[in-house]
Amino acid sequence: MLTLLRLAPFRNAYLLRGIVLWVGVRMALALSGASDPGVAAELTTLGLVAIAVVLDARRRSEDLFLGNLGVPTWAIAVMALPAAVVLECLVP
């Protein structure tokens, strides 16, 4: 996990992808009529963001490269969540 924090281009890319995916999921919820999602929907949103970022990293073969550097796949999911969690707490 700490190795990924020192790899600034990957760390920043996962944070940005997490923000973009969070915005997309929240927009989809708003278009479907859920203007104020409950706790279950918020947790589902964060789970979708983490899974989508990991799948995107896998599509780009970044997980293999980072795995060779000793970074586990779960660390990619964790790096996608900080900004999404903050936004989830701030946006009603």
Side-chain angles (χ1 to χ4, degrees):
M1 175 71 178
L2 294 176
T3 305
L4 185 57
L5 291 175
R6 286 183 262 149
L7 297 171
F10 289 100
R11 178 193 65 220
N12 296 342
Y14 297 141
L15 286 172
L16 180 64
R17 290 176 198 167
I19 292 170
V20 169
L21 287 167
W22 179 84
V23 168
V25 171
R26 283 299 293 249
M27 286 178 62
L29 281 174
L31 289 175
S32 70
S35 60
D36 187 22
V39 175
E42 291 174 351
L43 292 176
T44 303
T45 299
L46 293 175
L48 285 173
V49 166
I51 290 169
V53 169
V54 168
L55 290 175
D56 187 51
R58 181 164 288 173
R59 180 182 65 86
R60 298 170 188 249
S61 297
E62 293 171 351
D63 63 329
L64 295 174
F65 174 73
L66 293 172
N68 288 332
L69 296 176
V71 177
T73 304
W74 61 265
I76 296 171
V78 169
M79 285 309 304
L81 289 179
V85 169
V86 169
L87 288 171
E88 195 67 53
C89 291
L90 294 178
V91 175

Coordinates of all heavy atoms in Angstrom, one line a residue:
M1 N 0.8 -1.2 0.0 CA 0.0 0.0 0.0 C 0.9 1.2 0.0 O 0.6 2.2 -0.7 CB -0.9 0.0 1.2 CG -1.8 1.2 1.4 SD -3.0 1.3 0.2 CE -3.8 2.7 0.7
L2 N 1.9 1.3 0.8 CA 2.7 2.5 0.9 C 3.5 2.7 -0.4 O 3.9 3.8 -0.7 CB 3.7 2.3 2.1 CG 3.0 2.4 3.5 CD1 4.0 2.2 4.6 CD2 2.2 3.6 3.7
T3 N 3.8 1.6 -1.1 CA 4.5 1.7 -2.4 C 3.6 2.5 -3.3 O 4.1 3.4 -4.1 CB 4.8 0.3 -2.9 OG1 5.6 -0.4 -2.0 CG2 5.7 0.5 -4.2
L4 N 2.4 2.3 -3.3 CA 1.4 3.0 -4.2 C 1.4 4.4 -3.9 O 1.2 5.3 -4.8 CB 0.1 2.3 -4.2 CG -1.0 2.9 -5.2 CD1 -0.5 2.8 -6.6 CD2 -2.3 2.1 -5.0
L5 N 1.5 4.8 -2.6 CA 1.4 6.2 -2.2 C 2.7 6.9 -2.8 O 2.6 8.1 -3.0 CB 1.4 6.3 -0.7 CG 0.1 5.9 -0.1 CD1 0.2 6.0 1.4 CD2 -1.1 6.7 -0.6
R6 N 3.8 6.3 -3.0 CA 5.0 6.9 -3.5 C 5.0 7.0 -5.0 O 5.8 7.7 -5.6 CB 6.2 6.2 -3.0 CG 6.5 6.4 -1.5 CD 7.8 5.8 -1.1 NE 7.3 4.5 -0.5 CZ 8.0 3.4 -0.4 NH1 9.2 3.3 -1.0 NH2 7.5 2.3 0.2
L7 N 4.1 6.3 -5.7 CA 4.0 6.3 -7.1 C 3.0 7.3 -7.5 O 1.8 7.0 -7.8 CB 3.6 4.9 -7.7 CG 4.7 3.8 -7.4 CD1 4.1 2.4 -7.8 CD2 5.9 4.1 -8.2
A8 N 3.4 8.6 -7.5 CA 2.4 9.7 -7.7 C 1.6 9.6 -9.0 O 0.4 9.9 -8.9 CB 3.2 11.0 -7.7
P9 N 2.1 9.2 -10.1 CA 1.2 9.2 -11.3 C 0.1 8.2 -11.2 O -1.0 8.5 -11.6 CB 2.2 8.8 -12.5 CG 3.5 9.2 -12.0 CD 3.5 9.0 -10.5
F10 N 0.4 7.0 -10.6 CA -0.7 6.0 -10.4 C -1.7 6.5 -9.3 O -2.9 6.4 -9.5 CB -0.1 4.7 -10.1 CG 0.6 4.0 -11.2 CD1 2.0 4.1 -11.3 CD2 -0.1 3.4 -12.2 CE1 2.6 3.5 -12.4 CE2 0.5 2.8 -13.3 CZ 1.9 2.8 -13.4
R11 N -1.1 7.0 -8.2 CA -2.0 7.4 -7.1 C -2.9 8.5 -7.6 O -4.1 8.5 -7.3 CB -1.1 8.0 -6.0 CG -1.8 8.5 -4.8 CD -0.9 9.3 -3.9 NE -0.5 10.5 -4.6 CZ 0.8 11.0 -4.5 NH1 1.6 10.4 -3.7 NH2 1.1 12.1 -5.1
N12 N -2.4 9.5 -8.3 CA -3.2 10.6 -8.8 C -4.3 10.1 -9.8 O -5.4 10.6 -9.8 CB -2.4 11.7 -9.3 CG -1.5 12.3 -8.3 OD1 -1.7 12.2 -7.1 ND2 -0.4 13.0 -8.8
A13 N -3.9 9.2 -10.6 CA -4.8 8.7 -11.6 C -6.0 7.9 -11.0 O -7.1 8.1 -11.4 CB -4.1 7.7 -12.6
Y14 N -5.7 7.1 -9.9 CA -6.8 6.4 -9.3 C -7.7 7.4 -8.5 O -8.9 7.2 -8.4 CB -6.2 5.3 -8.3 CG -5.4 4.3 -9.1 CD1 -4.3 3.8 -8.6 CD2 -5.9 3.9 -10.3 CE1 -3.6 2.8 -9.3 CE2 -5.2 2.9 -11.1 CZ -4.0 2.4 -10.5 OH -3.3 1.5 -11.3
L15 N -7.1 8.4 -7.9 CA -7.9 9.4 -7.2 C -8.9 10.1 -8.2 O -10.0 10.3 -8.0 CB -7.1 10.4 -6.5 CG -6.4 10.0 -5.2 CD1 -5.4 11.0 -4.7 CD2 -7.4 9.7 -4.2
L16 N -8.3 10.5 -9.4 CA -9.1 11.2 -10.4 C -10.2 10.3 -11.0 O -11.3 10.7 -11.2 CB -8.2 11.7 -11.5 CG -8.9 12.5 -12.6 CD1 -9.6 13.7 -12.1 CD2 -7.9 12.8 -13.7
R17 N -9.8 9.0 -11.2 CA -10.8 8.1 -11.8 C -11.9 7.8 -10.7 O -13.1 7.7 -11.1 CB -10.1 6.7 -12.1 CG -9.2 6.8 -13.3 CD -8.5 5.5 -13.5 NE -7.4 5.7 -14.4 CZ -6.4 4.7 -14.5 NH1 -6.5 3.6 -13.9 NH2 -5.4 5.0 -15.3
G18 N -11.6 7.8 -9.5 CA -12.6 7.7 -8.4 C -13.5 8.8 -8.4 O -14.8 8.6 -8.3
I19 N -13.0 10.0 -8.6 CA -13.9 11.2 -8.6 C -14.8 11.2 -9.8 O -16.0 11.4 -9.7 CB -13.0 12.5 -8.6 CG1 -12.3 12.7 -7.2 CG2 -13.9 13.7 -8.8 CD1 -11.3 13.8 -7.2
V20 N -14.3 10.9 -11.0 CA -15.0 10.9 -12.2 C -16.1 9.8 -12.1 O -17.3 10.1 -12.5 CB -14.1 10.7 -13.4 CG1 -14.9 10.4 -14.7 CG2 -13.2 11.9 -13.6
L21 N -15.8 8.7 -11.6 CA -16.8 7.6 -11.5 C -17.8 7.9 -10.5 O -19.0 7.6 -10.7 CB -16.1 6.3 -11.2 CG -15.4 5.7 -12.4 CD1 -14.5 4.5 -11.9 CD2 -16.3 5.1 -13.4
W22 N -17.4 8.5 -9.4 CA -18.4 8.9 -8.4 C -19.4 9.9 -9.0 O -20.6 9.8 -8.7 CB -17.7 9.5 -7.2 CG -18.7 9.9 -6.1 CD1 -19.3 9.1 -5.1 CD2 -19.3 11.2 -5.9 NE1 -20.1 9.9 -4.4 CE2 -20.1 11.2 -4.9 CE3 -19.1 12.4 -6.6 CZ2 -20.9 12.3 -4.4 CZ3 -19.8 13.5 -6.2 CH2 -20.7 13.4 -5.1
V23 N -18.9 10.9 -9.7 CA -19.8 11.9 -10.3 C -20.8 11.2 -11.3 O -22.0 11.5 -11.3 CB -19.0 13.0 -11.0 CG1 -19.9 13.8 -11.9 CG2 -18.3 13.8 -10.0
G24 N -20.3 10.3 -12.1 CA -21.1 9.5 -13.0 C -22.2 8.7 -12.3 O -23.4 8.7 -12.8
V25 N -21.8 8.0 -11.3 CA -22.8 7.2 -10.6 C -23.9 8.1 -9.9 O -25.1 7.8 -9.9 CB -22.1 6.3 -9.5 CG1 -23.1 5.6 -8.6 CG2 -21.3 5.3 -10.2
R26 N -23.4 9.2 -9.3 CA -24.4 10.1 -8.6 C -25.3 10.7 -9.6 O -26.5 10.9 -9.4 CB -23.7 11.2 -7.8 CG -23.1 10.7 -6.5 CD -24.2 10.2 -5.6 NE -25.0 11.2 -5.1 CZ -25.1 11.7 -3.9 NH1 -24.3 11.2 -3.0 NH2 -25.9 12.6 -3.6
M27 N -24.8 11.1 -10.8 CA -25.7 11.6 -11.9 C -26.7 10.6 -12.3 O -27.8 10.9 -12.6 CB -24.8 12.1 -13.0 CG -24.1 13.4 -12.7 SD -23.1 14.0 -14.1 CE -24.2 14.3 -15.4
A28 N -26.3 9.3 -12.4 CA -27.2 8.3 -12.8 C -28.3 8.1 -11.8 O -29.5 7.9 -12.1 CB -26.4 7.0 -13.0
L29 N -27.9 8.2 -10.5 CA -28.9 8.1 -9.4 C -29.9 9.3 -9.5 O -31.1 9.1 -9.3 CB -28.2 8.1 -8.1 CG -27.6 6.8 -7.6 CD1 -26.9 6.9 -6.3 CD2 -28.7 5.7 -7.4
A30 N -29.3 10.5 -9.8 CA -30.2 11.7 -9.9 C -31.2 11.5 -11.0 O -32.3 11.9 -10.9 CB -29.4 12.9 -10.0
L31 N -30.7 11.0 -12.2 CA -31.6 10.9 -13.3 C -32.6 9.8 -13.1 O -33.7 9.9 -13.7 CB -30.7 10.6 -14.6 CG -29.9 11.7 -15.1 CD1 -29.0 11.2 -16.2 CD2 -30.7 12.9 -15.5
S32 N -32.3 8.8 -12.2 CA -33.3 7.8 -12.0 C -34.3 8.2 -10.9 O -35.3 7.5 -10.6 CB -32.6 6.5 -11.5 OG -32.1 6.7 -10.2
G33 N -34.2 9.4 -10.3 CA -35.1 9.9 -9.4 C -34.7 9.8 -7.9 O -35.5 10.2 -7.1
A34 N -33.6 9.3 -7.6 CA -33.1 9.2 -6.3 C -32.3 10.4 -5.9 O -31.1 10.4 -6.0 CB -32.3 7.9 -6.1
S35 N -33.0 11.5 -5.5 CA -32.2 12.8 -5.3 C -31.5 12.7 -3.9 O -30.4 13.3 -3.8 CB -33.2 13.9 -5.3 OG -34.2 13.7 -4.3
D36 N -32.0 12.0 -3.0 CA -31.3 11.9 -1.7 C -31.2 10.4 -1.4 O -32.0 9.8 -0.7 CB -32.1 12.6 -0.6 CG -31.4 12.6 0.7 OD1 -30.1 12.5 0.7 OD2 -32.0 12.8 1.8
P37 N -30.1 9.7 -1.8 CA -30.0 8.3 -1.6 C -29.7 8.0 -0.1 O -29.1 8.8 0.6 CB -28.8 7.9 -2.5 CG -28.0 9.2 -2.6 CD -29.0 10.3 -2.6
G38 N -30.1 6.8 0.3 CA -29.9 6.4 1.7 C -28.5 5.9 1.9 O -27.7 5.9 1.0
V39 N -28.3 5.4 3.1 CA -27.0 4.9 3.4 C -26.6 3.7 2.6 O -25.5 3.5 2.1 CB -27.0 4.5 4.9 CG1 -25.6 3.8 5.3 CG2 -27.2 5.7 5.8
A40 N -27.6 2.8 2.3 CA -27.3 1.6 1.4 C -26.9 2.0 0.0 O -25.9 1.5 -0.5 CB -28.5 0.7 1.4
A41 N -27.5 3.0 -0.5 CA -27.2 3.5 -1.9 C -25.8 4.2 -1.9 O -25.1 4.1 -2.8 CB -28.3 4.5 -2.4
E42 N -25.5 4.9 -0.8 CA -24.2 5.5 -0.7 C -23.1 4.5 -0.6 O -22.0 4.7 -1.3 CB -24.2 6.5 0.5 CG -25.1 7.7 0.3 CD -25.1 8.6 1.5 OE1 -24.6 8.2 2.6 OE2 -25.7 9.7 1.4
L43 N -23.3 3.5 0.2 CA -22.3 2.4 0.3 C -22.1 1.7 -1.1 O -21.0 1.3 -1.5 CB -22.6 1.5 1.4 CG -22.5 2.1 2.8 CD1 -22.9 1.1 3.9 CD2 -21.1 2.5 3.1
T44 N -23.3 1.4 -1.7 CA -23.2 0.8 -3.0 C -22.5 1.6 -4.0 O -21.7 1.1 -4.8 CB -24.7 0.5 -3.5 OG1 -25.3 -0.3 -2.5 CG2 -24.7 -0.2 -4.9
T45 N -22.7 2.9 -4.0 CA -22.0 3.9 -4.9 C -20.5 3.8 -4.7 O -19.7 3.7 -5.6 CB -22.5 5.3 -4.6 OG1 -23.9 5.4 -4.9 CG2 -21.7 6.3 -5.5
L46 N -20.1 3.8 -3.4 CA -18.6 3.7 -3.1 C -18.1 2.3 -3.6 O -16.9 2.2 -4.1 CB -18.4 3.9 -1.6 CG -18.7 5.3 -1.2 CD1 -18.5 5.4 0.4 CD2 -17.8 6.3 -1.9
G47 N -18.8 1.3 -3.4 CA -18.4 0.0 -3.8 C -18.3 -0.1 -5.4 O -17.3 -0.7 -5.9
L48 N -19.2 0.5 -6.1 CA -19.2 0.5 -7.5 C -17.9 1.3 -8.0 O -17.3 0.9 -9.0 CB -20.4 1.2 -8.1 CG -21.7 0.3 -8.1 CD1 -22.9 1.1 -8.5 CD2 -21.5 -0.9 -9.0
V49 N -17.6 2.4 -7.3 CA -16.5 3.2 -7.7 C -15.2 2.4 -7.5 O -14.3 2.3 -8.4 CB -16.4 4.5 -6.8 CG1 -15.0 5.2 -7.0 CG2 -17.5 5.5 -7.3
A50 N -15.1 1.7 -6.4 CA -13.9 0.9 -6.1 C -13.7 -0.2 -7.2 O -12.6 -0.5 -7.7 CB -13.9 0.3 -4.7
I51 N -14.8 -0.9 -7.4 CA -14.8 -2.0 -8.4 C -14.5 -1.5 -9.8 O -13.7 -2.2 -10.5 CB -16.1 -2.8 -8.3 CG1 -16.2 -3.6 -7.0 CG2 -16.2 -3.8 -9.5 CD1 -17.6 -4.2 -6.8
A52 N -15.1 -0.4 -10.2 CA -14.8 0.1 -11.5 C -13.4 0.5 -11.7 O -12.8 0.3 -12.8 CB -15.8 1.2 -11.8
V53 N -12.8 1.1 -10.7 CA -11.4 1.6 -10.8 C -10.5 0.4 -10.9 O -9.5 0.4 -11.7 CB -11.0 2.5 -9.7 CG1 -9.5 2.8 -9.6 CG2 -11.8 3.8 -9.8
V54 N -10.8 -0.7 -10.1 CA -9.9 -1.9 -10.2 C -10.1 -2.5 -11.6 O -9.1 -3.0 -12.2 CB -10.3 -2.9 -9.1 CG1 -9.7 -4.2 -9.3 CG2 -9.9 -2.3 -7.7
L55 N -11.3 -2.6 -12.1 CA -11.5 -3.2 -13.4 C -10.8 -2.4 -14.5 O -10.2 -2.9 -15.5 CB -13.0 -3.3 -13.7 CG -13.7 -4.4 -12.9 CD1 -15.2 -4.4 -13.2 CD2 -13.1 -5.8 -13.2
D56 N -10.8 -1.0 -14.4 CA -10.1 -0.2 -15.4 C -8.6 -0.4 -15.3 O -7.9 -0.4 -16.3 CB -10.5 1.3 -15.1 CG -9.9 2.2 -16.2 OD1 -10.1 1.9 -17.4 OD2 -9.3 3.2 -15.9
A57 N -8.1 -0.5 -14.1 CA -6.7 -0.8 -13.9 C -6.3 -2.2 -14.5 O -5.2 -2.3 -15.1 CB -6.3 -0.7 -12.4
R58 N -7.2 -3.1 -14.3 CA -6.9 -4.4 -14.9 C -7.0 -4.4 -16.4 O -6.2 -5.0 -17.1 CB -8.0 -5.4 -14.4 CG -7.8 -6.8 -14.9 CD -8.5 -7.8 -14.2 NE -7.8 -8.0 -12.9 CZ -8.3 -8.7 -11.9 NH1 -9.4 -9.3 -12.0 NH2 -7.6 -8.8 -10.8
R59 N -7.9 -3.6 -17.0 CA -8.0 -3.4 -18.4 C -6.7 -2.8 -19.0 O -6.3 -3.2 -20.1 CB -9.2 -2.5 -18.8 CG -9.4 -2.3 -20.2 CD -10.6 -1.3 -20.5 NE -10.3 0.0 -20.0 CZ -9.7 1.0 -20.7 NH1 -9.3 0.7 -21.9 NH2 -9.5 2.2 -20.2
R60 N -6.1 -1.9 -18.3 CA -4.9 -1.3 -18.7 C -3.6 -2.0 -18.3 O -2.5 -1.6 -18.5 CB -4.8 0.1 -18.1 CG -5.9 1.0 -18.5 CD -5.9 2.3 -17.7 NE -7.0 3.1 -17.9 CZ -7.0 4.3 -18.6 NH1 -5.8 4.8 -19.0 NH2 -8.1 5.0 -18.7
S61 N -3.8 -3.2 -17.7 CA -2.7 -4.0 -17.2 C -1.9 -3.3 -16.1 O -0.7 -3.7 -15.9 CB -1.8 -4.5 -18.3 OG -2.6 -5.3 -19.2
E62 N -2.4 -2.3 -15.5 CA -1.7 -1.6 -14.4 C -1.6 -2.5 -13.2 O -0.6 -2.4 -12.4 CB -2.4 -0.3 -14.1 CG -2.3 0.7 -15.2 CD -3.2 1.9 -14.9 OE1 -4.0 1.9 -13.9 OE2 -3.1 2.9 -15.7
D63 N -2.6 -3.4 -13.0 CA -2.5 -4.3 -11.8 C -1.4 -5.2 -11.9 O -0.7 -5.6 -10.9 CB -3.8 -5.0 -11.6 CG -4.2 -5.9 -12.7 OD1 -3.8 -5.6 -13.9 OD2 -4.8 -7.0 -12.5
L64 N -1.0 -5.7 -13.1 CA 0.1 -6.6 -13.2 C 1.4 -5.8 -13.0 O 2.3 -6.3 -12.3 CB 0.2 -7.2 -14.7 CG -1.0 -8.1 -15.0 CD1 -0.9 -8.5 -16.5 CD2 -1.0 -9.3 -14.1
F65 N 1.5 -4.6 -13.5 CA 2.7 -3.8 -13.3 C 2.9 -3.5 -11.8 O 4.0 -3.7 -11.2 CB 2.7 -2.5 -14.1 CG 3.8 -1.6 -13.8 CD1 5.1 -1.9 -14.2 CD2 3.6 -0.4 -13.1 CE1 6.1 -1.0 -14.0 CE2 4.6 0.4 -12.8 CZ 5.9 0.1 -13.2
L66 N 1.8 -3.1 -11.1 CA 1.9 -2.7 -9.7 C 2.1 -4.0 -8.9 O 2.8 -3.9 -7.8 CB 0.7 -2.0 -9.3 CG 0.6 -0.6 -9.9 CD1 -0.8 0.0 -9.6 CD2 1.7 0.3 -9.4
G67 N 1.5 -5.1 -9.3 CA 1.7 -6.4 -8.6 C 3.2 -6.8 -8.6 O 3.7 -7.3 -7.6
N68 N 3.9 -6.5 -9.7 CA 5.3 -6.8 -9.7 C 6.1 -5.9 -8.8 O 7.2 -6.2 -8.4 CB 5.9 -6.6 -11.2 CG 5.4 -7.8 -12.0 OD1 5.2 -8.9 -11.6 ND2 5.3 -7.5 -13.3
L69 N 5.6 -4.7 -8.5 CA 6.2 -3.8 -7.5 C 5.8 -4.1 -6.1 O 6.2 -3.4 -5.2 CB 5.9 -2.4 -7.9 CG 6.4 -1.9 -9.2 CD1 5.9 -0.5 -9.5 CD2 7.9 -1.9 -9.3
G70 N 4.9 -5.1 -5.9 CA 4.5 -5.5 -4.6 C 3.2 -4.8 -4.1 O 2.9 -4.8 -2.9
V71 N 2.5 -4.2 -5.0 CA 1.3 -3.5 -4.6 C 0.1 -4.4 -4.9 O -0.1 -4.9 -6.0 CB 1.1 -2.2 -5.5 CG1 -0.2 -1.5 -5.1 CG2 2.2 -1.2 -5.2
P72 N -0.7 -4.8 -3.8 CA -1.8 -5.7 -4.0 C -3.0 -4.9 -4.7 O -3.1 -3.7 -4.7 CB -2.2 -6.0 -2.6 CG -1.7 -4.9 -1.7 CD -0.5 -4.4 -2.4
T73 N -3.9 -5.7 -5.3 CA -5.0 -5.2 -6.0 C -5.9 -4.4 -5.1 O -6.5 -3.4 -5.6 CB -5.8 -6.3 -6.7 OG1 -4.9 -7.1 -7.6 CG2 -6.9 -5.8 -7.6
W74 N -6.1 -4.8 -3.9 CA -7.0 -4.1 -3.0 C -6.5 -2.7 -2.8 O -7.3 -1.8 -2.5 CB -7.2 -4.8 -1.7 CG -6.0 -5.1 -0.9 CD1 -5.2 -6.2 -0.9 CD2 -5.4 -4.2 0.0 NE1 -4.2 -6.0 0.0 CE2 -4.3 -4.8 0.6 CE3 -5.7 -2.9 0.5 CZ2 -3.5 -4.2 1.5 CZ3 -4.9 -2.3 1.4 CH2 -3.8 -2.9 1.9
A75 N -5.2 -2.4 -2.9 CA -4.7 -1.1 -2.6 C -5.2 -0.1 -3.7 O -5.3 1.1 -3.5 CB -3.2 -1.1 -2.6
I76 N -5.4 -0.7 -4.9 CA -5.9 0.2 -6.0 C -7.3 0.6 -5.7 O -7.6 1.8 -5.9 CB -5.9 -0.6 -7.4 CG1 -4.4 -0.9 -7.8 CG2 -6.6 0.2 -8.5 CD1 -4.3 -1.9 -8.9
A77 N -8.1 -0.3 -5.2 CA -9.5 0.1 -4.8 C -9.5 1.1 -3.6 O -10.3 2.0 -3.7 CB -10.2 -1.2 -4.4
V78 N -8.6 0.9 -2.7 CA -8.5 1.9 -1.6 C -8.1 3.2 -2.0 O -8.6 4.3 -1.6 CB -7.5 1.3 -0.5 CG1 -7.2 2.3 0.6 CG2 -8.1 0.1 0.1
M79 N -7.2 3.3 -3.0 CA -6.7 4.6 -3.5 C -7.8 5.3 -4.3 O -7.7 6.6 -4.5 CB -5.5 4.5 -4.3 CG -4.2 4.2 -3.6 SD -3.9 5.4 -2.2 CE -3.9 6.9 -3.0
A80 N -8.8 4.6 -4.8 CA -9.9 5.3 -5.5 C -10.9 5.9 -4.6 O -11.7 6.7 -5.1 CB -10.5 4.2 -6.4
L81 N -10.9 5.5 -3.3 CA -12.0 5.9 -2.5 C -11.9 7.2 -1.7 O -12.9 7.8 -1.3 CB -12.3 4.8 -1.5 CG -13.0 3.5 -2.2 CD1 -13.2 2.5 -1.1 CD2 -14.3 3.9 -2.8
P82 N -10.7 7.7 -1.3 CA -10.7 8.9 -0.4 C -11.5 10.1 -0.9 O -12.3 10.6 -0.2 CB -9.2 9.2 -0.3 CG -8.5 7.9 -0.6 CD -9.4 7.2 -1.6
A83 N -11.3 10.5 -2.1 CA -12.0 11.6 -2.6 C -13.5 11.3 -2.8 O -14.4 12.2 -2.5 CB -11.4 12.0 -4.0
A84 N -13.9 10.1 -3.2 CA -15.3 9.7 -3.3 C -16.0 9.7 -2.0 O -17.1 10.1 -1.8 CB -15.4 8.4 -4.0
V85 N -15.3 9.3 -0.9 CA -15.9 9.3 0.4 C -16.1 10.7 0.9 O -17.2 11.0 1.5 CB -15.0 8.5 1.4 CG1 -15.4 8.7 2.9 CG2 -15.0 7.0 1.1
V86 N -15.1 11.6 0.7 CA -15.3 13.0 1.1 C -16.4 13.6 0.3 O -17.3 14.3 0.9 CB -14.0 13.8 0.8 CG1 -14.2 15.3 1.0 CG2 -12.9 13.3 1.8
L87 N -16.5 13.4 -1.0 CA -17.6 13.9 -1.8 C -19.0 13.4 -1.3 O -20.0 14.1 -1.3 CB -17.4 13.7 -3.2 CG -16.3 14.5 -3.9 CD1 -16.0 14.0 -5.3 CD2 -16.6 16.0 -3.9
E88 N -19.0 12.1 -1.0 CA -20.2 11.5 -0.5 C -20.7 12.1 0.8 O -21.9 12.2 1.0 CB -20.0 10.0 -0.4 CG -21.3 9.2 -0.3 CD -22.1 9.1 -1.5 OE1 -21.5 8.8 -2.6 OE2 -23.3 9.5 -1.4
C89 N -19.8 12.5 1.6 CA -20.1 13.1 2.9 C -20.5 14.6 2.7 O -21.4 15.1 3.5 CB -18.9 13.0 3.9 SG -18.6 11.4 4.4
L90 N -20.0 15.3 1.7 CA -20.3 16.7 1.6 C -21.5 17.0 0.7 O -22.2 17.9 1.0 CB -19.0 17.4 1.0 CG -17.8 17.4 1.8 CD1 -16.7 18.1 1.1 CD2 -18.1 18.2 3.1
V91 N -21.7 16.2 -0.3 CA -22.8 16.4 -1.2 C -24.1 15.7 -0.7 O -24.1 14.5 -0.4 CB -22.5 15.9 -2.6 CG1 -23.7 16.0 -3.6 CG2 -21.3 16.6 -3.2
P92 N -25.2 16.5 -0.5 CA -26.4 15.9 0.0 C -27.1 15.0 -1.0 O -27.0 15.1 -2.1 CB -27.3 17.0 0.4 CG -26.7 18.2 -0.4 CD -25.3 17.9 -0.7

